[in-house]
Amino acid sequence: MGLPDRHGSIGRSVVRTLGVLALAAVLACRGEAPPVGSDWPAGTAVTVGGEAITVAEVDAAADALAALKPSYTRPMLRRQALTHVLFTRAVARLGHADERAAARAAADAWRAGEQGALVGRERRGTWNELGLDLWLAVRDLQPDEWSPVCEGAGLFFAARVLERSGAPPAVREGFVLELVEFPWRDDREGLALAVFEQRLVIVDPAFGAVVPERWKIPMMEPE
């Protein structure tokens, strides 16, 4: 003989509660935050060392990288955006909020013409020689056009295109640039490896399949 409806409702409620708790436990083991009650900003894809990286940031970089890798799928482009651009940029911010704010203020003042003329340095090359942060900033500029203030890993910068050569595809285009930099970290060369010392949390479950195992294994081990 079955339980009365009231008891059946209680039983179903217990099962649902246990299911929610089990899901939360699974997400925690994977380094993922439960979707309800999260303190992360809306639209957060992942966090590195507590620094949020949004889906919008990932997709903006992925859209640009599609010009270099037109055969890549969307998940592959998102993977490149995270591992080659956004992870390092996020790690550079950790513990340097004041220095970063001062560098941003100096860069904005210079861009607005309030800080006098700074002597930029010349950079030449394709996307590979320039690096992705710089290439992302100048890829759509015309000769003699300055970029806005852009963020790289551990610095802000602005760049002016002196020359660009080569025809599409984008991988073949070469640039001659004038580059003005406002760094807030002196250890920028080591930031790519420093990524692996930080804790990774996958907030949006869709990114569980995007982040490569090479990054997941060291960054998602239990503390």
Side-chain angles (χ1 to χ4, degrees):
M1 183 175 177
L3 291 172
D5 287 346
R6 182 175 62 85
H7 292 161
S9 299
I10 293 173
R12 287 191 295 272
S13 177
V14 169
V15 169
R16 284 196 298 271
T17 300
L18 291 174
V20 169
L21 292 174
L23 174 60
V26 169
L27 291 174
C29 290
R30 294 177 182 173
E32 299 172 16
V36 178
S38 171
D39 292 330
W40 306 123
T44 296
V46 303
T47 69
V48 177
E51 183 73 25
I53 300 173
T54 67
V55 176
E57 288 178 279
V58 177
D59 285 344
D63 288 344
L65 293 175
L68 296 176
K69 304 289 184 181
S71 65
Y72 277 23
T73 64
R74 190 66 178 174
M76 293 169 70
L77 291 168
R78 282 177 156 183
R79 184 172 302 132
Q80 295 289 307
L82 284 171
T83 60
H84 287 71
V85 180
L86 298 174
F87 278 172
T88 311
R89 195 181 293 177
V91 167
R93 298 170 183 163
L94 300 177
H96 289 77
D98 292 342
E99 297 92 335
R100 180 174 179 266
R104 180 71 205 222
D108 288 341
W110 172 82
R111 193 69 178 83
E114 299 169 2
Q115 203 180 65
L118 295 180
V119 178
R121 63 189 181 98
E122 184 178 280
R123 288 287 306 273
R124 294 172 175 263
T126 63
W127 71 274
N128 196 36
E129 289 88 27
L130 296 176
L132 284 175
D133 281 324
L134 187 49
W135 178 81
L136 288 168
V138 303
R139 67 188 186 90
D140 290 329
L141 299 182
Q142 298 303 313
D144 207 38
E145 184 179 0
W146 278 97
S147 74
V149 172
C150 300
E151 182 174 357
L155 80 166
F156 290 102
F157 65 89
R160 179 166 68 101
V161 174
L162 302 176
E163 300 175 26
R164 62 185 301 169
S165 59
V171 291
R172 297 179 182 172
E173 287 190 287
F175 296 83
V176 181
L177 306 173
E178 179 183 359
L179 177 65
V180 178
E181 297 176 317
F182 302 84
W184 73 80
R185 292 192 66 149
D186 297 326
D187 57 346
R188 296 190 299 279
E189 291 184 1
L191 288 173
L193 290 177
V195 168
F196 295 99
E197 300 173 3
Q198 300 299 325
R199 181 74 170 167
L200 171 68
V201 177
I202 298 176
V203 179
D204 184 335
F207 283 80
V210 169
V211 180
E213 293 300 314
R214 180 188 169 192
W215 274 260
K216 281 182 181 177
I217 291 171
M219 297 176 71
M220 298 177 71
E221 289 181 349
E223 295 178 344

